[in-house]
Amino acid sequence: MTWTGPRSRPALALAASALVAAAVAGCNDKTDKAVVVPDVPMQQDVGAGEGRLDLVVWAGYAENGSTDEQVDWVTPFTRATGCRVQAKVADTSDSMVELMKTGRYDGVSASGDASLRLIYGGTVAPVNTGLISGYGDIAPYLKNQPYNSVDGRMYGVPHGYGANMLMYRTDKLQQRPTSWDVVWEKDSPAAGHVVAYDSPIYIADAALYLKAHRPDLKIRDVYALDDEQFDAAVDLLKRQRPNVNQYWANYLDELQSFKSADNYAGTAWQVTANMALAEKAPVATTLPSEGATGWSDTWMIASRAKHPHCMYKWMGWITTPRVQAQVAQWFGEAPANPKACAHTPKGFCSTYHVGDPAFYGRLAFWRTPVKDCGDDRGGACVEYARWARAWTEIKG
């Protein structure tokens, strides 16, 4: 399959409904004790498929040829396994959580801002990675991470990932930015023309900047913020507000604003930059000195899956090199299996830094904030419900 350019990544988790707040708050008891993960059994074997598979997915993750007849990895899967795939596209992480809670779906392609909610809620089961034939080929730096594992148990199979890069107009900013200060400081040359990601999880980007520039706050983990650290991040976002010309949830909106030169700098995905460059917009991306946040998607199996054998077959199929290459090119992301690079055009994998652990070691992948800090502070951290409320106040 030729790389024709990226397709859309859906907008993630803008709204913070009461259900979402309850989902996170319900993960914690009223003490400062660590979160207790429900004891959900793990699959021990994979036998004949049940003939059906119901998935919740990001758009572009389960293509069957109906969008583009040349883009189809679902039909070959069905031929090989007998499992007919029914995919429900979700447009936010919050929607994914709510859909999975219904018990009607076997699996989900969850991002890190949803996965812990699914794990702590008992909605998904740990994955027996020994039953996934190609699991050993997946990049080690995507396994056993805080957003897809708990207590040393994997709760999914890594799929695709990417960085929240700094994108800028090269004609408006003559020097390549080396710091995120171009979006945070009031005297920035991009002031009034800054774009920011429209989601509560963007609070972590503020925390990342403060981690480097406010050592007195002692921020170690941008998703585990105590009250003082959280308040500082919120204050920074409120100070940034006059400089922000656009909060984007749909990448097409950001693409258009950079093409028209309405905006000069802000958080973007590499896929957006590739599309802008393809349309002759003078943009570039960089990973600033402070690092960046990022996203890593994981295939997770429902604890009440009606078709668990088909789901395990799917997790094995979707992580094979050739299929990984198809999805990565269509969707616009780095494949979790580096062997996919043998099936992509020259330059694709270097653009997405595949097989570059040093690059991804500088990223803080999205993770649902919970009360348990995961360190000696105990249950002193601010959970997602407050992040969501604060985000509404920040935007005004």
Side-chain angles (χ1 to χ4, degrees):
M1 169 180 166
T2 1
W3 181 33
T4 56
R7 297 300 188 270
S8 125
R9 176 176 182 79
L12 297 178
L14 168 61
S17 65
L19 286 172
V20 174
V24 178
C27 295
N28 304 281
D29 58 24
K30 295 184 179 179
T31 72
D32 286 345
K33 295 179 181 178
V35 175
V36 177
V37 179
D39 185 14
V40 179
M42 183 171 63
Q43 187 96 355
Q44 296 303 313
D45 58 63
V46 177
E50 299 88 353
R52 182 183 174 98
L53 179 63
D54 294 293
L55 298 173
V56 176
V57 301
W58 295 122
Y61 268 16
E63 292 296 306
N64 61 6
S66 58
T67 304
D68 183 327
E69 61 182 16
Q70 301 299 315
V71 182
D72 184 357
W73 48 89
V74 168
T75 303
F77 169 75
T78 300
R79 289 199 198 104
T81 64
C83 302
R84 293 176 292 104
V85 177
Q86 300 293 322
K88 171 70 173 178
V89 172
D91 61 352
T92 69
S93 286
D94 294 349
S95 296
M96 283 189 166
V97 172
E98 294 307 314
L99 286 167
M100 288 300 294
K101 284 164 63 177
T102 66
R104 291 160 46 194
Y105 299 94
D106 302 301
V108 60
S109 60
S111 293
D113 56 340
S115 50
L116 288 187
R117 285 184 266 170
L118 295 168
I119 294 170
Y120 293 150
T123 309
V124 296
V127 168
N128 188 338
T129 58
L131 301 178
I132 310 295
S133 59
Y135 187 76
D137 293 334
I138 293 173
Y141 52 84
L142 300 176
K143 301 174 181 177
N144 300 309
Q145 295 301 312
Y147 53 83
N148 61 20
S149 68
V150 176
D151 297 332
R153 303 180 84 185
M154 279 295 291
Y155 277 79
V157 177
H159 169 77
Y161 57 103
N164 296 320
M165 304 287 285
L166 171 58
M167 184 162 75
Y168 64 98
R169 290 268 313 197
T170 56
D171 59 337
K172 300 297 183 181
L173 303 180
Q174 302 301 321
Q175 294 185 331
R176 185 182 187 88
T178 59
S179 168
W180 283 105
D181 59 7
V182 72
V183 304
W184 294 113
E185 301 302 332
K186 63 180 181 180
D187 58 352
S188 162
H193 301 276
V194 169
V195 289
Y197 186 54
D198 196 351
S199 169
I201 208 69
Y202 186 64
I203 294 172
D205 291 67
L208 187 80
Y209 185 71
L210 292 172
K211 181 181 179 182
H213 296 274
R214 286 279 310 277
D216 58 297
L217 290 170
K218 299 179 181 179
I219 296 174
R220 288 171 280 182
D221 182 337
V222 299
Y223 303 104
L225 305 175
D226 58 34
D227 285 328
E228 182 185 7
Q229 296 165 344
F230 181 77
D231 289 345
V234 171
D235 286 345
L236 177 59
L237 284 155
K238 288 179 177 178
R239 292 199 305 272
Q240 182 204 39
R241 182 66 182 90
N243 275 359
V244 176
N245 186 45
Q246 179 189 39
Y247 288 102
W248 66 274
N250 186 324
Y251 83 105
L252 290 174
D253 294 336
E254 182 186 35
L255 174 65
Q256 183 57 43
S257 73
F258 268 92
K259 284 169 53 183
S260 63
D262 288 336
N263 293 317
Y264 302 167
T267 302
W269 297 313
Q270 185 61 48
V271 297
T272 313
N274 292 348
M275 294 183 74
L277 287 167
E279 298 184 36
K280 310 301 183 185
V283 303
T285 60
T286 187
L287 184 64
S289 59
E290 300 90 354
T293 58
W295 49 272
S296 180
D297 293 342
T298 303
W299 287 104
M300 311 183 89
I301 183 170
S303 55
R304 293 182 285 166
K306 297 180 176 62
H307 314 108
H309 295 288
C310 279
M311 185 60 199
Y312 265 82
K313 290 178 185 294
W314 173 260
M315 289 189 291
W317 173 268
I318 201 70
T319 49
T320 56
R322 192 174 295 277
V323 178
Q324 279 269 292
Q326 288 179 287
V327 184
Q329 291 173 87
W330 177 252
F331 192 82
E333 65 185 356
N337 186 344
K339 290 185 177 180
C341 294
H343 306 280
T344 60
K346 184 178 179 180
F348 178 86
C349 282
S350 60
T351 296
Y352 289 92
H353 298 272
V354 179
D356 184 354
F359 178 86
Y360 285 99
R362 297 177 62 198
L363 301 185
F365 285 118
W366 284 344
R367 188 175 82 247
T368 308
V370 295
K371 186 177 180 182
D372 179 16
C373 298
D375 55 31
D376 55 7
R377 293 174 295 169
C381 283
V382 178
E383 55 195 351
Y384 183 76
R386 275 183 61 191
W387 286 50
R389 290 196 299 270
W391 186 245
T392 302
E393 296 172 5
I394 289 163
K395 289 180 60 182

